Amino acid sequence: MTDQDPDRQASSQPEPAGEFQEIEHTADLAIRVRGEDLVALFVHAANGMFHLLRCRPVERPAESVERDMELDAPDLETLLVDWLDELLYLSQRAGLCFETFDIHTLDDQGHLKATVHASGSQTPQRDIKAVTFSDLRIVQQEDGAYETTITFDV
Amino acid sequence: MVNPQDLQRLSPYLHEIPQDWREDMRVPARLYASEAMLEDIATDRSLEQLINTATLPGIVGHALAMPDAHQGYGFPIGGVAATALPDGVLSPGGVGYDINCGVRVLTTSLDADEVRPQMNALMDALSSQVPVGVGSSGALRVSSQELQDVLRDGAEWAVRKGYGLRRDLEHTEDGGRLDAADPAKVSERALERGTDQIGTLGSGNHFLEVDRVSEVYDDEAAEAMGLRLNSVCVWIHCGSRGLGHQVCTDAVRAMQSAMKKYDITVPDRELVCAPFSSPEAQAYFAAMACAANYAWANRQVIAHSVRESLMRVFGSKVRRDDLPMLYDVCHNIAKVERHTVDGQEMELVVHRKGATRAFGPGHPDVPEALRELGQPVLIPGNMRSGSYVFLGTERGMADTFGSSCHGAGRVMSRTQARKQVRGQTLREELEQAGIVVRAGSMSGLAEEGPHAYKDVNLVVDVVHEAGIARKVARTQPLGIMKG
């Protein structure tokens, strides 16, 4: 058994107010994400995904992992899926949760450069199979902030 | 937004959304459901997703939703859509990320009464043989060279390696191997993810269950399938693991740009697609077939582990030959099949996303031993009410491209499901009902509890009454294993 009182643990890490919010989906998982700019939107989306992965402390911390990432996509929605896909892949390969996302470049031409970091102290307790494009649209609000809803296949 | 009153009632169990409901629909959409189930289905976005599916270029007949339908991504879960070759589209989102997620059932000569006292030992043996849970791996590691053989030959590879019997292949959809597989079309990343996950169950709604046959509705058919009242059978539900997820991820991404090339627009980007004859669709089809073959190899190796466990616990009471496979079905797949549409026989690519193939009696793709009866359809329900074995019918061939439901279908989000019951409480309730539970995560157990699903009895009644498949037997759990 990996968790003694997991029902309680499942809700022990609150969603940071204003960054992302889990929304109802009958079968899969979905989050609504908001960011004051595109960089914040992408960071909050990554935080939201690792929230859904239910990261928990590991008994014996592993070595930390740091990766540089460079992505190019034809549009921002595809870039967002690529970004989360890449993080999901790195996380599943290392069996670790990533906690720090330093985005150096992100432009609306679909180019992203970032350094991501996993301390080695957290591991996912849930599988996400994939990040989907389902109804994915990044929308700029009247106040200039960006919002989107992302659906994950579990 | 579609309301239940907007649907045209064609029969007590079949409802239609006419083609003129939305101007981009190319065919009408049809939903199999009882009147009572319509309200539930209308609470999420499944009907909107079904209408979206009806817009796919080249779609013929009707876009269909089975009675277990619920909101998915792109297609609804429980969705069936067939497009006409050569230029009808192939949509990776219409197959889903868990390519060839499916169900396999092994029957036994054991009675529930002799198995019950050994259930703890049996579940322990199964737990030690079949890795389960988040990122489960390590049952079997193959070299990159051998992985090519797995992708090409599927369950046949596993049987060749000693993980099963020749007869198993005859009782597996497509013999456990799709010919279209071309490992050269599978990405390095997908291959990397596939090296150590053969023989593992994974997590989510995947499970391994030891059941007893609790009801028989057709004695002759049940006997032919090895199902005797009170006899024990084993259900395996899992798919193509990380390799399959990666194949779909790669294809959905690659096809985004193909859409412009072929001047295709879709109402939801997850419905991304390309004409079947295009290089993009052919590349995906070849990779999808590899993932499907991987899933069959996976379930074949797990079936072998189940046999080993049964023989270890029950010793001389069972021999390998006493543990035959009833059948293996896939419920996330796209297949090239021949069907009659509006009186004309056509070659189609049939997408089944959370739907099971259900070919009728006499079809050459049904195993010879069962051909006169029809194809077995395996419908898992929930961990309390149990599951159903059905047979395909002529009516299903005519009305649903030979398709049926794939399970009970969720009715509640994972968050809601966790709020309604604690995993530990559910586990205690199940154990009080005599069901042995092995679960890696209590919250995962709560998310997958019976309360999160539709009443499977009502779902299968719709299938049976509509005549698209017919009831043979019901099984109920003695032990369940979840990730």
Side-chain angles (χ1 to χ4, degrees):
Chain A
M1 236 35 53
T2 51
D3 36 10
Q4 293 300 311
D5 191 358
D7 294 349
R8 198 166 297 153
Q9 284 182 22
S11 56
S12 67
Q13 295 189 353
E15 297 159 355
E19 291 190 4
F20 63 84
Q21 184 191 1
E22 187 173 350
I23 59 172
E24 293 288 304
H25 190 292
T26 318
D28 296 305
L29 295 171
I31 48 171
R32 186 174 297 127
V33 189
R34 185 179 159 86
E36 62 275 19
D37 54 28
L38 284 173
V39 168
L41 184 81
F42 274 53
V43 170
H44 296 167
N47 282 329
M49 184 175 76
F50 283 102
H51 174 84
L52 295 179
L53 283 169
R54 283 205 201 114
C55 296
R56 301 279 174 262
V58 289
E59 278 177 29
R60 286 189 206 136
E63 271 191 43
S64 65
V65 176
E66 190 164 283
R67 288 282 178 277
D68 292 325
M69 217 186 264
E70 185 160 7
L71 302 170
D72 280 295
D75 54 69
L76 280 174
E77 283 84 3
T78 307
L79 188 66
L80 180 61
V81 171
D82 284 357
W83 160 248
L84 296 174
D85 268 343
E86 195 66 21
L87 287 168
L88 191 59
Y89 165 74
L90 291 173
S91 164
Q92 287 175 347
R93 191 166 71 162
L96 294 173
C97 292
F98 282 74
E99 298 116 339
T100 313
F101 314 98
D102 292 325
I103 297 182
H104 314 304
T105 309
L106 199 175
D107 59 43
D108 51 15
Q109 303 302 304
H111 183 66
L112 178 147
K113 277 178 89 166
T115 305
V116 299
H117 182 86
S119 67
S121 63
Q122 301 260 321
T123 187
Q125 298 292 306
R126 175 195 253 159
D127 258 341
I128 284 179
K129 289 177 186 163
V131 186
T132 80
F133 277 89
S134 191
D135 288 322
L136 183 63
R137 275 182 291 274
I138 296 175
V139 179
Q140 192 166 19
Q141 305 296 309
E142 282 182 5
D143 62 0
Y146 291 86
E147 271 190 26
T148 193
T149 298
I150 309 161
T151 305
F152 300 89
D153 183 17
V154 293
Chain B
M1 180 76 186
V2 190
N3 295 308
Q5 58 270 26
D6 298 324
L7 297 165
Q8 292 179 2
R9 184 175 182 272
L10 303 182
S11 80
Y13 302 102
L14 182 59
H15 309 266
E16 183 167 288
I17 303 166
Q19 191 179 334
D20 61 6
W21 172 260
R22 217 172 71 187
E23 64 178 16
D24 56 349
M25 288 172 74
R26 293 171 195 264
V27 292
R30 285 185 171 180
L31 165 69
Y32 285 88
S34 63
E35 299 285 344
M37 291 162 76
L38 289 177
E39 293 293 333
D40 266 347
I41 288 175
T43 57
D44 68 14
R45 299 185 56 204
S46 19
L47 291 176
E48 188 188 334
Q49 292 181 334
L50 179 63
I51 290 168
N52 290 345
T53 305
T55 71
L56 288 174
I59 188 168
V60 295
H62 306 89
L64 299 166
M66 295 294 128
D68 51 341
H70 59 76
Q71 182 180 346
Y73 44 88
F75 275 51
I77 306 301
V80 179
T83 58
L85 295 186
D87 294 327
V89 295
L90 175 63
S91 172
V95 172
Y97 291 87
D98 199 356
I99 296 165
N100 189 5
C101 183
V103 183
R104 172 175 292 223
V105 173
L106 296 173
T107 59
T108 79
S109 53
L110 296 163
D111 270 332
D113 300 337
E114 57 187 326
V115 170
R116 266 202 194 92
Q118 301 289 334
M119 272 309 294
N120 274 308
L122 178 57
M123 296 312 288
D124 286 344
L126 290 167
S127 302
S128 72
Q129 290 267 327
V130 184
V132 62
V134 177
S136 50
S137 63
L140 189 67
R141 178 178 280 276
V142 293
S143 68
S144 53
Q145 186 53 46
E146 184 133 38
L147 184 58
Q148 306 277 315
D149 296 342
V150 176
L151 300 185
R152 207 175 287 113
D153 296 339
E156 221 176 277
W157 167 85
V159 169
R160 205 161 63 224
K161 288 282 169 184
Y163 299 105
L165 311 168
R166 269 280 128 204
R167 183 189 175 280
D168 297 347
L169 303 177
E170 290 161 29
H171 285 250
T172 303
E173 194 169 320
D174 296 299
R177 174 186 187 274
L178 288 179
D179 288 340
D182 179 0
K185 304 296 186 201
V186 178
S187 71
E188 281 302 317
R189 186 169 283 191
L191 293 172
E192 178 199 319
R193 294 177 71 174
T195 53
D196 63 352
Q197 291 194 319
I198 300 169
T200 67
L201 210 56
S203 60
N205 62 359
H206 295 164
F207 66 80
L208 201 159
E209 243 181 55
V210 178
D211 281 23
R212 72 179 180 91
V213 178
S214 58
E215 285 178 72
V216 170
Y217 309 101
D218 179 332
D219 291 332
E220 194 186 333
E223 195 184 326
M225 291 193 216
L227 298 168
R228 282 179 298 105
L229 196 62
N230 219 31
S231 69
V232 168
C233 57
V234 180
W235 290 66
I236 300 162
H237 177 214
C238 61
S240 48
R241 311 286 288 115
L243 182 140
H245 311 163
Q246 190 67 47
V247 165
C248 185
T249 293
D250 294 340
V252 169
R253 175 68 165 82
M255 277 199 195
Q256 297 290 333
S257 47
M259 299 274 286
K260 277 185 201 146
K261 184 173 161 188
Y262 299 108
D263 196 25
I264 295 171
T265 51
V266 286
D268 178 347
R269 287 185 72 173
E270 191 65 24
L271 290 172
V272 63
C273 53
F276 186 77
S277 55
S278 69
E280 292 85 353
Q282 287 297 300
Y284 164 66
F285 196 59
M288 181 212 75
C290 288
N293 290 349
Y294 187 91
W296 275 313
N298 188 26
R299 291 198 287 276
Q300 185 67 49
V301 171
I302 292 175
H304 174 77
S305 301
V306 168
R307 285 174 170 147
E308 294 285 308
S309 301
L310 283 161
M311 289 189 297
R312 193 196 300 174
V313 173
F314 294 98
S316 58
K317 278 188 185 167
V318 285
R319 292 173 303 129
R320 207 174 293 275
D321 290 347
D322 298 331
L323 306 168
M325 254 182 71
L326 195 168
Y327 203 60
D328 178 304
V329 293
C330 49
H331 51 227
N332 285 352
I333 199 79
K335 298 265 194 75
V336 174
E337 295 171 3
R338 294 193 78 82
H339 292 277
T340 302
V341 182
D342 298 329
Q344 192 186 345
E345 193 178 308
M346 303 174 84
E347 195 164 39
L348 307 173
V349 57
V350 183
H351 300 73
R352 296 190 182 91
K353 186 177 190 186
T356 306
R357 196 185 77 175
F359 281 176
H363 196 287
D365 289 350
V366 178
E368 206 176 334
L370 301 172
R371 194 161 297 155
E372 295 310 307
L373 293 167
Q375 181 210 302
V377 180
L378 310 172
I379 308 171
N382 69 55
M383 51 182 88
R384 186 183 288 127
S385 303
S387 301
Y388 283 87
V389 177
F390 270 51
L391 280 171
T393 61
E394 289 295 349
R395 181 77 183 267
M397 294 307 288
D399 292 357
T400 61
F401 307 106
S403 310
S404 174
C405 69
H406 85 310
R410 285 189 76 90
V411 75
M412 190 182 290
S413 75
R414 290 167 188 279
T415 313
Q416 263 185 313
R418 275 202 317 274
K419 279 182 189 157
Q420 288 211 359
V421 69
R422 287 168 56 89
Q424 190 56 39
T425 309
L426 173 59
R427 182 196 179 116
E428 285 162 13
E429 281 173 17
L430 291 167
E431 297 206 321
Q432 275 165 17
I435 301 166
V436 179
V437 180
R438 296 285 183 273
S441 150
M442 285 299 113
S443 46
L445 189 71
E447 286 182 6
E448 286 294 325
H451 59 300
Y453 285 85
K454 298 180 197 187
D455 182 339
V456 65
N457 304 310
L458 300 180
V459 170
V460 299
D461 279 349
V462 170
V463 169
H464 183 81
E465 294 298 332
I468 55 175
R470 66 183 182 89
K471 272 183 194 177
V472 174
R474 179 183 182 182
T475 74
Q476 289 185 272
L478 299 170
I480 59 173
M481 189 170 128
K482 296 282 298 177

